[in-house]
């Protein structure tokens, strides 16, 4: 497989960032820049397979995505002082890599996702909405938004999804995401994360106070079983996209955790 598309900036202790489903490394850019310039870190933001500018593949499993990231670690010669951080689907990729290759990491950060199985039915409307955008017929982003709005009511969610829309060289619109594969592989994205042995290094879970992706049950049982040296910090008044809604809080939490 080709190497994952990534952006490498800053110098210092490495922090690798993995986005969530239908996202790209761009979702983290303003924070990534700040961690590189203000926190003195080497920040590597990554596009996972079937997303952003990375390669498309008919397969989309956590084992394969973790392997993709590991190959990037090898290519960049990242040492065991590396922190890996992932949001949502990216958080599950990060957990998978940490449990399978604990020797490659110093610490782990998981943003608003638990290791348990997640029912992906809430994504069906999003997939239907993306399919409803007729790429051959639309002439601008407003028309794409109108088509998407038939299925996705939330403006913020639509703006996030439409970041995947781009113009090809012939000026026709296309999606950067591999929509057909992601739609077909949604059940795999919801898969539970398990491990033969727990990850024994420092782990920070950041949850949105208004999000239900990490429950009290997860906090008491699911998370400590796999990540015994973990803490769960709740960012008040934030939903699932914690980093977009409360960037200051996330900036500070990550900076102090990585610099410990």
């Amino acid at each position: 497989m080709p190497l994952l598309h990534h952006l490498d900036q800053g110098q210092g202790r490495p922090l690798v960032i993995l986005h969530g489903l239908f996202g790209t490394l761009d979702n983290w850019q303003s924070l990534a820049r700040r961690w590189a310039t203000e926190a003195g870190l080497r920040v590597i933001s990554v596009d996972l397979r079937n997303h952003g500018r990375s390669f498309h593949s008919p397969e989309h499993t956590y084992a394969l995505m973790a392997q993709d990231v590991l190959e990037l670690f090898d290519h960049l010669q990242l040492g065991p002082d590396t922190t890996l951080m992932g949001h949502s689907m990216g958080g599950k990729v990060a957990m998978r890599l940490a449990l399978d290759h604990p020797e490659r990491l110093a610490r782990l950060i998981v943003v608003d996702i638990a290791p348990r199985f997640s029912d992906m039915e809430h994504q069906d409307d999003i997939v239907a909405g993306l399919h409803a955008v007729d790429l051959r017929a639309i002439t601008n982003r407003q028309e794409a938004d109108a088509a998407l709005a038939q299925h996705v009511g939330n403006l913020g969610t639509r703006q996030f999804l439409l970041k995947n829309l781009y113009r090809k060289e012939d000026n026709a619109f296309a999606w950067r995401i591999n929509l057909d594969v992601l739609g077909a592989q949604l059940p795999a994205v919801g898969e539970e994360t398990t491990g033969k042995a727990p990850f024994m290094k420092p782990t920070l879970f950041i949850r949105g106070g208004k999000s239900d992706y990490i429950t009290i049950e997860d906090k008491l049982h699911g998370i400590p079983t796999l990540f015994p040296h973990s803490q769960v910090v709740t960012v008040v008044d934030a939903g699932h996209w914690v980093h977009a809604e409360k960037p200051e809080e996330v900036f500070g939490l990550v900076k102090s955790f990585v610099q410990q």
Side-chain angles (χ1 to χ4, degrees):
M1 281 295 175
L3 210 57
L4 293 172
H5 174 253
H6 59 282
L7 184 64
D8 190 345
Q9 54 190 332
Q11 283 166 335
R13 220 177 247 187
L15 169 67
V16 177
I17 306 177
L18 311 177
H19 61 77
L21 182 64
F22 305 127
T24 74
L25 63 79
D26 292 345
N27 303 148
W28 283 87
Q29 257 339 82
S30 48
L31 276 170
R33 208 173 295 118
R34 287 189 62 193
W35 284 315
T37 55
E38 295 172 41
L41 300 176
R42 177 187 178 188
V43 185
I44 298 124
S45 325
V46 180
D47 278 337
L48 293 166
R49 65 165 60 200
N50 293 317
H51 288 77
R53 289 173 169 81
S54 280
F55 61 88
H56 285 190
S57 163
E59 297 177 290
H60 196 81
T61 67
Y62 285 115
L64 287 171
M65 287 190 277
Q67 193 56 43
D68 295 340
V69 176
L70 210 55
E71 284 168 18
L72 184 63
F73 272 46
D74 291 342
H75 173 76
L76 297 172
Q77 298 180 316
L78 297 178
D81 60 339
T82 301
T83 302
L84 180 59
M85 174 167 74
H87 171 243
S88 204
M89 178 188 78
K92 283 199 164 176
V93 177
M95 288 189 268
R96 176 79 278 134
L97 191 150
L99 289 162
D100 290 348
H101 302 278
E103 74 287 350
R104 300 300 297 264
L105 300 179
R107 57 189 76 68
L108 173 69
I109 303 172
V110 179
V111 184
D112 211 55
I113 194 78
R116 71 177 150 82
F117 165 81
S118 358
D119 180 349
M120 298 302 290
E121 279 179 11
H122 61 289
Q123 300 286 352
D124 290 347
D125 286 345
I126 285 179
V127 173
L130 292 167
H131 277 299
V133 178
D134 185 344
L135 296 171
R136 288 163 309 192
I138 59 168
T139 57
N140 56 45
R141 286 180 174 273
Q142 287 73 18
E143 291 170 8
D145 183 59
L148 192 53
Q150 307 290 319
H151 298 268
V152 181
N154 184 285
L155 174 63
T157 305
R158 293 202 307 276
Q159 287 172 332
F160 163 75
L161 293 167
L162 289 170
K163 286 189 174 146
N164 288 295
L165 194 64
Y166 77 107
R167 282 190 190 271
K168 296 187 292 187
E169 282 175 12
D170 63 2
N171 224 23
F173 278 106
W175 294 117
R176 290 206 187 279
I177 42 172
N178 189 346
L179 181 55
D180 291 338
V181 165
L182 293 177
Q185 298 291 333
L186 271 184
V189 176
E191 222 169 64
E192 182 186 3
T193 304
T194 56
K196 291 188 187 77
F199 178 70
M200 301 305 289
K201 293 178 180 178
T203 305
L204 172 66
F205 281 80
I206 300 174
R207 70 178 282 269
K210 295 195 289 193
S211 167
D212 56 4
Y213 279 73
I214 296 179
T215 63
I216 296 298
E217 183 63 22
D218 296 324
K219 202 171 163 178
L220 294 176
H221 303 292
I223 290 171
T225 303
L226 286 174
F227 304 98
H229 298 290
S230 62
Q231 52 176 316
V232 180
V233 176
T234 299
V235 177
V236 184
D237 284 338
H240 183 52
W241 281 286
V242 195
H243 51 294
E245 294 172 39
K246 297 283 179 180
E248 277 312 318
E249 285 85 340
V250 173
F251 173 79
L253 283 169
V254 170
K255 180 184 176 209
S256 56
F257 182 71
V258 175
Q259 289 176 343
Q260 269 171 11

